[in-house]
């Protein structure tokens, strides 16, 4: 059983992130990205009488990892509704909140989910299989301009306009519904050596749009800022520069745009104190053990 749990997802920066939460045995904690439950299990191992952990995940597949522990409550929801679910569970304030953003290895490894260009299958990419547009819906219905914006903003792809234009031309002939069909359309745009890297960017951009990741992150960060007790910790692991910028901004300035608001004396008004000024990243041993940890960045801030 243990091995099955491990293959769902190997937790990234496990000890530095959970240590950063400053767990007290009787405290109230939230893991907004439960996934394989690696971080949640470590948090639960540090809880005792009166301790409580809420674990969120919008993907029903994560339910197979639910921990049988009296201190644990699983919430199958998007973390953008953090505020509503805390209220529903009569929780006014929490001691620390952990977010380990993005998708899990399970998403990339399950050929049915459409997250990986290693497999053919439906172009889906929804973390919540019950809601919203799939990647195929987006590719077949968005305007050329909107597609170009997504590839540029979320994938930082230099040839975003060309990419959007070949997609729109191809879909005029026939709907693009599978990963195989999509790759046939876009692959000629990329040189052999950079092909994998560029495809990863295209898939990342689509995944972010399908799951409305930036909007959900923004709403969760504001709800988390509100929900934390003074002295409570916000602990976030990011995997790409867009989400990292948002997290850095909220921790430094209290807003996701990074607008500095100063008081009469010129001091920046922010709800947080940074615990680590420099981002924490996995060491070489962790990257070797788990190559998917390579792009991880951990930031920790304490509510004033
Ligand atoms: C990187 S994995 C977390 C792995 C987890 N820390 C572990 O150790 O197994 C991210 C998880 O968060 C979930 N997720 C991502 N965005 C979400 C959101 N907006 N609301 C709820 N769950 C989300 C994904 O479904 C995925 O299972």
């Amino acid at each position: 059983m243990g091995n099955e749990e491990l293959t769902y997802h190997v937790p990234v920066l496990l000890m530095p992130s959970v240590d950063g939460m400053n767990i007290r045995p009787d405290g109230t904690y939230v893991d907004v990205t439960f996934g394989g439950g690696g971080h949640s299990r470590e948090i639960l191992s540090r809880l005792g009488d009166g301790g409580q952990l809420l674990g969120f995940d919008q993907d029903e597949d994560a339910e197979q990892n639910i921990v049988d522990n009296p201190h644990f409550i699983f919430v199958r929801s998007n973390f953008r509704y953090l505020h509503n679910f805390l209220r529903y569970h009569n929780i006014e304030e929490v001691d620390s909140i952990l977010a380990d953003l993005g998708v899990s290895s399970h998403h990339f490894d399950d050929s049915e989910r459409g997250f990986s260009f290693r497999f053919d299958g439906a172009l889906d990419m929804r973390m919540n299989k019950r809601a919203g547009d799939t990647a195929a819906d987006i590719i077949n219905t968005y305007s050329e301009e909107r597609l170009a914006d997504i590839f540029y903003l979320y994938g930082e792809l230099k040839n975003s306009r060309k990419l959007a234009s070949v997609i729109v031309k191809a879909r005029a002939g026939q709907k693009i519904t599978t990963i195989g069909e999509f790759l046939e359309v876009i692959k000629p745009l990329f040189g052999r050596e950079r092909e994998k890297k560029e495809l990863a960017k295209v898939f990342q951009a689509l995944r972010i749009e399908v799951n409305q990741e930036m909007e959900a992150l923004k709403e969760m960060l504001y709800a988390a800022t509100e929900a934390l007790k003074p002295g409570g910790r916000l602990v976030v692991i990011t995997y790409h520069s867009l989400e990292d910028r948002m997290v850095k901004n909220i921790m430094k300035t209290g807003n996701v745009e990074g607008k500095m608001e100063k008081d009469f004396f010129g001091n920046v008004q922010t709800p947080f104190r940074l615990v680590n000024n420099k981002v924490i990243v996995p060491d070489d041993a962790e990257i070797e053990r788990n190559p998917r940890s390579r792009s991880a960045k951990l930031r920790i801030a304490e509510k004033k």
Side-chain angles (χ1 to χ4, degrees), residues 9 11 32-39 56-59 77-79 100-104 107 127 216:
H9 185 82
V32 295
T33 49
F34 177 74
H39 288 88
F56 280 69
D57 207 297
Q58 62 178 331
D59 183 358
S77 163
N78 194 305
F79 57 49
D100 176 19
L101 297 171
V103 283
S104 66
H107 289 126
M127 288 190 219

Side-chain angles (χ1 to χ4, degrees), residues 9 11 38-39 48 75 78 80 82 89 100 112 115 141 168 192-193 196-197 203 206 211 219 222 246 278 297 300:
H9 185 82
H39 288 88
V75 182
N78 194 305
R80 69 198 306 170
L82 174 66
H89 288 286
D100 176 19
E112 311 267 291
F115 285 97
T141 63
V168 168
R192 264 283 180 78
E193 335 77 77
K196 270 198 179 150
K197 280 209 167 124
F203 273 60
L206 282 169
N211 296 288
E219 286 172 29
Y222 283 122
M246 234 186 216
K278 236 178 115 209
K297 286 185 177 156
I300 307 168

